[in-house]
Amino acid sequence: MSGIASRLTNQLVGKNFHKPSSLFFTRLMSSGTYENVLVEKVGEKKNVGLITLNNPKSLNALCDPLIADIKKAAIDLSKDKDVGCVVITGKGKAFAAGADIKQMQPMTLQNCIMGNFLSDWGQFGKRPIIAAVNGYALGGGCELAMMCDIIYASDKAQFGQPEILLGTIPGAGGTQRLTRAVGKSLAMEMCLTGDRITAQTALAAGLVSKVVDAEKLVEEAIKTAEKIANNSKLIVTLAKEAVDGAFETTLTQGCQFERKIFHSTFGTNDRKEGMDAFVEKRKANFTDS
Ligand code: CAA
């Protein structure tokens, strides 16, 4: 890494945080725009957006301004024509330790209903998002990870839905997404006891797709994000829509939905280019059209 890039990394991420060895930061969108997250474009082609939750003192507790910044950053990145995939991680020892309990403590039923509390979480734009869970992912933190498309966990990560210990229940999809990911028994156990599970248990249960050494976590997530970003953004969007459809429908309807999307790829230049390139034994040059 060049001197400037290395200085920049140290300044931005501190000594306890990831230092991607071969990845160069480009534009810093954080300056002046986001107060609670760091936003960078990374990877060889700078086609991956990296959002780092940056309130380590509160273990990245998800207060309204932090959620607003995550949303804004994800949407801004999804509008960037160069960015094909986004990675979200946390600075310090937590990915996110949940919704901000201090903010919630004085809230009333009226506040929750009138403000439709938590309803705006999860609107993070069109690009696929990889959660690189570096530490605690509890309550809303676990829910945030599960709103993403892929979850990688560091070997130090812990997942949990401890709301029951606060006299409440998950409110940002925890009971629903966790049950779909790990099955009823483990989801029920986690939601009813508040017990946390390790990265290895999360891997065995299907909540995460990979467990990586803590120091390599973000680098590994970025590598996968680059693979996604190097594919056609148009077709990636369709593939993501098809997989997401599996959570919303029956098998027959889901397969019909998939087939329609598959058929629709035959109206794109990128489908033609992909198959032409295979037949001509060359690398495809996708144009997102
Ligand atoms: N909200 C607000 N502040 C939090 C927080 C949260 N969810 N989690 C941690 N913090 C704060 C702590 O209050 C503490 O702040 P101070 O230094 O000002 O006291 C700081 O972060 C460091 O935390 P700890 O001293 O507790 O750190 P620890 O290493 O001893 O423990 C922990 C770590 C086990 C994660 C512990 O902090 C903890 O249990 N946090 C709460 C986890 C939780 O209950 N999450 C669910 C929230 S509810 C929810 O998310 C609802 C939903 O569905 C959206």
Side-chain angles (χ1 to χ4, degrees):
M1 186 177 286
S2 76
I4 294 174
S6 162
R7 269 205 310 282
L8 199 52
T9 309
N10 289 334
Q11 236 175 34
L12 279 172
V13 300
K15 64 179 172 21
N16 292 327
F17 191 54
H18 63 87
K19 294 178 183 175
S21 53
S22 60
L23 303 155
F24 292 86
F25 300 125
T26 56
R27 191 148 53 96
L28 281 182
M29 290 183 272
S30 55
S31 49
T33 316
Y34 311 101
E35 287 185 4
N36 303 281
V37 296
L38 304 170
V39 182
E40 303 139 47
K41 280 164 71 174
V42 295
E44 296 292 328
K45 296 183 188 165
K46 323 293 186 236
N47 56 3
V48 171
L50 176 62
I51 301 173
T52 304
L53 280 54
N54 190 29
N55 288 338
K57 278 191 187 152
S58 69
L59 305 187
N60 299 318
L62 296 161
C63 56
D64 286 346
L66 176 53
I67 284 288
D69 271 2
I70 297 169
K71 267 176 62 178
K72 180 170 171 14
I75 290 168
D76 286 351
L77 286 167
S78 78
K79 287 181 187 157
D80 185 319
K81 67 176 176 37
D82 297 329
V83 172
C85 191
V86 174
V87 173
I88 295 188
T89 193
K91 186 171 176 182
K93 67 179 182 180
F95 175 70
D100 189 327
I101 300 167
K102 294 164 190 167
Q103 181 190 307
M104 285 187 294
Q105 186 190 16
M107 284 178 70
T108 63
L109 170 68
Q110 286 80 358
N111 297 151
C112 287
I113 293 175
M114 299 307 283
N116 206 3
F117 184 45
L118 302 185
S119 62
D120 58 344
W121 286 30
Q123 293 149 17
F124 296 143
K126 277 269 183 198
R127 293 283 170 262
I129 303 184
I130 302 176
V133 175
N134 48 300
Y136 294 117
L138 304 178
C142 187
E143 290 169 310
L144 174 64
M146 291 190 293
M147 287 171 198
C148 298
D149 300 293
I150 296 172
I151 308 178
Y152 281 6
S154 106
D155 50 357
K156 299 193 171 79
Q158 293 188 32
F159 298 82
Q161 296 292 162
E163 291 88 347
I164 198 84
L165 305 174
L166 300 168
T168 185
I169 73 163
T175 61
Q176 303 305 299
R177 291 197 178 92
L178 188 63
T179 307
R180 284 164 169 77
V182 306
K184 179 176 166 181
S185 182
L186 182 56
M188 199 64 97
E189 190 179 328
M190 289 170 71
C191 291
L192 301 191
T193 64
D195 284 353
R196 307 196 284 257
I197 59 169
T198 63
Q200 285 303 338
T201 303
L203 180 68
L207 179 59
V208 311
S209 54
K210 201 180 264 188
V211 177
V212 184
D213 279 354
E215 314 74 59
K216 293 272 179 196
L217 172 71
V218 172
E219 197 171 338
E220 202 63 30
I222 291 171
K223 270 191 213 158
T224 301
E226 284 186 282
K227 282 188 196 169
I228 294 169
N230 288 338
N231 291 326
S232 160
K233 292 185 192 67
L234 177 62
I235 308 298
V236 164
T237 304
L238 294 175
K240 174 170 146 50
E241 222 170 287
V243 175
D244 282 338
F247 290 92
E248 307 290 346
T249 188
T250 64
L251 181 61
T252 304
Q253 286 169 340
C255 289
Q256 277 168 3
F257 179 56
E258 177 195 80
R259 199 160 48 249
K260 293 283 178 220
I261 293 181
F262 169 67
H263 291 165
S264 77
T265 64
F266 283 76
T268 68
N269 294 324
D270 284 344
R271 194 286 309 171
K272 184 171 183 320
E273 167 62 10
M275 293 192 185
D276 285 353
F278 178 83
V279 171
E280 292 161 19
K281 299 187 186 300
R282 62 176 173 81
K283 206 166 174 294
N285 178 24
F286 295 123
T287 52
D288 306 324
S289 61

